[in-house]
């Protein structure tokens, strides 16, 4: 059974209605143990650059379409490529997530980003959440949607995309999963 992290990513892609093409490079920041990397490989056959201080699951470490780099996910910048996506489910303070989104949007390092913002305690940090949303929208050419998915615990998922829709697969409804209940 896939992990809840795996399901969060698929739910975000379904919500956005888009998916990476096999030619897309997807950067997975904070990739260990590899749930999101595995989902991208399984469903979309993309090349993945996985960044973490710890190694991925051995199956993913042997995958010839996964490049693992041990290091700080916040310091990593991908090689120049117009068809890069970034995904991240890093456990960090909300302010670090805002910094990460600012860096990647400001330098236009990816066309699509799916990033979770995790909160401490029982309540979301609405101030930081709104600050991050406003910041992303201030970068020309990016749009942002934030949603609390079924598999999110005390966190939300940022879905960020650029106006450039080339090399993006438009998904049919329920293409990366099936509805739990039939639609009546």
């Amino acid at each position: 059974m896939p992990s809840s992290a795996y399901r969060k990513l698929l739910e975000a892609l379904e919500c956005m209605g888009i998916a990476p093409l096999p030619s897309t490079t997807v950067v997975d920041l904070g990739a260990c143990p590899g749930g999101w990397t595995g989902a991208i490989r399984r469903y979309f056959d993309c090349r993945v650059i996985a960044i973490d201080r710890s190694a991925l699951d051995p199956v993913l470490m042997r995958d010839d379409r996964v490049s693992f780099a041990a290091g700080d996910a916040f310091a990593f910048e991908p090689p120049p490529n117009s068809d890069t996506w970034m995904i991240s489910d890093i456990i960090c303070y909300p302010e670090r997530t805002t910094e990460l989104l600012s860096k990647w949007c400001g330098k236009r390092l990816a066309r699509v980003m799916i990033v979770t913002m995790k909160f401490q305690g029982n309540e979301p940090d609405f101030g930081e959440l709104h600050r991050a949303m406003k910041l992303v929208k201030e970068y020309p050419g990016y749009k942002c949607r934030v949603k609390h998915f079924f598999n999110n615990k005390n966190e939300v998922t940022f879905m960020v995309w650029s106006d450039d829709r080339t090399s993006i697969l438009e998904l049919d409804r329920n293409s990366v999963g099936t509805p739990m209940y039939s639609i009546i």
Side-chain angles (χ1 to χ4, degrees), residues 2-180:
S3 67
S4 61
Y6 187 106
R7 293 188 302 267
K8 280 189 294 195
L9 177 62
L10 296 181
E11 194 173 2
L13 291 167
E14 185 77 26
C15 182
M16 295 173 79
I18 61 174
L21 293 172
S23 60
T24 302
T25 298
V26 178
V27 175
D28 186 356
L29 300 177
C32 182
W36 283 23
T37 295
I40 291 294
R41 290 292 297 121
R42 178 178 181 184
Y43 285 94
F44 308 109
D45 197 32
C46 297
R47 179 174 174 262
V48 178
I49 301 172
I51 311 300
D52 204 299
R53 295 181 194 276
S54 300
L56 302 177
D57 181 274
V59 171
L60 292 169
M61 293 296 285
R62 290 188 302 269
D63 188 324
D64 63 347
R65 301 265 297 153
V66 174
S67 301
F68 174 75
D72 181 357
F74 292 99
F76 180 79
E77 290 189 17
N81 179 352
S82 62
D83 194 16
T84 299
W85 288 34
M86 184 267 281
I87 58 177
S88 175
D89 194 27
I90 298 173
I91 297 171
C92 64
Y93 291 108
E95 297 81 10
R96 294 287 282 160
T97 302
T98 303
E99 291 168 13
L100 185 68
L101 288 165
S102 179
K103 172 184 172 179
W104 280 71
C105 290
K107 294 184 175 186
R108 301 198 64 80
L109 297 174
R111 285 192 300 128
V112 176
M113 292 165 259
I114 300 172
V115 179
T116 57
M117 178 180 275
K118 300 174 188 302
F119 304 109
Q120 293 186 317
N122 296 325
E123 295 297 319
D125 181 346
F126 287 111
E128 192 61 29
L129 173 62
H130 291 287
R131 188 169 89 78
M133 289 172 56
K134 182 179 178 206
L135 188 142
V136 169
K137 290 178 180 179
E138 288 176 355
Y139 289 106
Y142 280 108
K143 293 183 175 40
C144 177
R145 181 175 181 192
V146 178
K147 190 167 167 100
H148 180 268
F149 289 120
F150 178 80
N151 287 290
N152 285 131
K153 293 175 182 86
N154 192 16
E155 62 193 33
V156 294
T157 301
F158 278 78
M159 295 164 282
V160 179
W161 64 95
S162 72
D163 291 334
D164 179 3
R165 303 285 285 190
T166 58
S167 301
I168 292 177
L169 177 64
E170 300 288 337
L171 293 176
D172 294 327
R173 185 173 170 81
N174 300 317
S175 60
V176 294
T178 55
M180 187 176 289

